[in-house]
Amino acid sequence: MSQRIFSASDFQEPSVRGSRSGGGSVVARVVSSLIGLILTVPALLMVIAGGGRAYQQILQEARTDADIGAILLAVAGLVLLIVVVLSGLLSAAGPLVGGVIVTAAGLAFLLDPSLVEQASRALPGFGRTGVITLSLWCQSGLLLAVGVTLLASALARVIASRSGAARSRGVRAVVSIIVAVVTTTGGLALLVVGSTALLRSAGSYGARSLDTPSLLILLGGCLVLGGVALTAAWSSVGTAIIGTIVLLAGLAGFLPAVSTAAFRAVAPLSSDAAGGASSVLTIGFVAAMGVTLIGVAASCARARRAVR
């Protein structure tokens, strides 16, 4: 007999002890959904705009002084993004709605790069450098990676809310740390390789071309990072630690010295990989991933406590 594994009710908040009715749960889902619907796009646009200014100054103009305005703009976007992910404290609906929007946009931009130009016309105040970075995010598949991780965050929240009290929490914490460190490193490496190759193929062969092997590498990186977010369903320790490390690295990436050091460290292996590694740091992608991982760790920890 076939049986559905997940249904719409899976994304509902379980009854909290002491609650007199389910009204609070309904309100939580509505509020969480609105947060994901309203804040996700502005949050990422602010990160992209701030990262675009930093990208121009550091990688295009080779300046050695930090653009404080760009950093503040990107940080403001990161704050809004963590609000979206932390809406999972109320319900999985917020990260789910945000993940659906970003994943759909990421797929559309990746399959039809000309949409980036149309989107830039709809954002007259975005600025030339912001549009360039929007192209980097969209045509390289990095926007898709953020969307997949948000969807994984919502699924992790659902699993955590139904897992009950965990046994052998110490063992789970140690395993989650090891898994998070290894898989996050591997996932980011796959994204750097895949996204850099996709950008190169788009520039070489025209806007309508899509390098299938590079796309598969990119999708592999998306799935790996999504898997890191899913581990928070069983233990939030590893996800919280690696998320903090990734966030700090991403924030440091806005500084010219750090981006230059990242390029020089990877350059002996591959010049393309070096350019990709410094780019994902500078444009704010790494920081956005760190925020997402920290948020899912917090929401899953709360979900497990609520059902004990």
Side-chain angles (χ1 to χ4, degrees), residues 15-260:
S15 299
V16 179
R17 282 177 288 180
S19 178
R20 295 182 179 179
S21 68
S25 179
V26 174
V27 172
R29 292 197 299 274
V30 171
V31 171
S32 181
S33 299
L34 289 176
I35 291 174
L37 180 65
I38 296 173
L39 295 185
T40 303
V41 173
L44 288 176
L45 286 178
M46 292 173 71
V47 174
I48 292 171
R53 288 174 54 180
Y55 178 85
Q56 181 190 32
Q57 289 213 347
I58 297 174
L59 299 182
Q60 292 187 330
E61 299 180 4
R63 295 186 182 179
T64 57
D65 54 327
D67 187 338
I68 303 301
I71 295 175
L72 292 178
L73 181 60
V75 169
L78 293 173
V79 170
L80 291 182
L81 182 60
I82 200 168
V83 171
V84 172
V85 187
L86 287 179
S87 68
L89 293 170
L90 302 174
S91 167
L96 176 65
V97 171
V100 169
I101 294 173
V102 178
T103 300
L107 283 172
F109 284 123
L110 192 60
L111 296 176
D112 186 3
S114 64
L115 291 175
V116 175
E117 183 179 353
Q118 299 176 27
S120 65
R121 288 198 295 267
L123 299 168
F126 206 51
R128 183 179 65 85
T129 58
V131 172
I132 293 175
T133 317
L134 182 64
S135 300
L136 290 175
W137 275 74
C138 296
Q139 294 181 357
S140 66
L142 297 179
L143 189 65
L144 175 62
V146 174
V148 169
T149 308
L150 284 173
L151 289 177
S153 300
L155 181 56
R157 174 68 173 79
V158 172
I159 297 173
S161 67
R162 296 175 180 273
S163 62
R167 298 179 180 178
S168 303
R169 281 183 286 176
V171 175
R172 288 191 178 200
V174 173
V175 172
S176 70
I177 293 172
I178 297 173
V179 171
V181 171
V182 174
T183 55
T184 302
T185 304
L188 289 175
L190 288 173
L191 284 179
V192 167
V193 173
S195 63
T196 303
L198 283 173
L199 283 176
R200 186 174 61 247
S201 66
S204 300
Y205 306 119
R208 293 187 178 181
S209 67
L210 190 62
D211 186 0
T212 302
S214 300
L215 177 61
L216 293 177
I217 294 174
L218 175 83
L219 293 177
C222 293
L223 293 177
V224 169
L225 290 179
V228 175
L230 280 176
T231 62
W234 294 276
S235 175
S236 298
V237 178
T239 313
I241 291 176
I242 195 64
T244 302
I245 294 173
V246 171
L247 174 59
L248 293 176
L251 292 175
F254 292 123
L255 302 176
V258 175
S259 298
T260 303

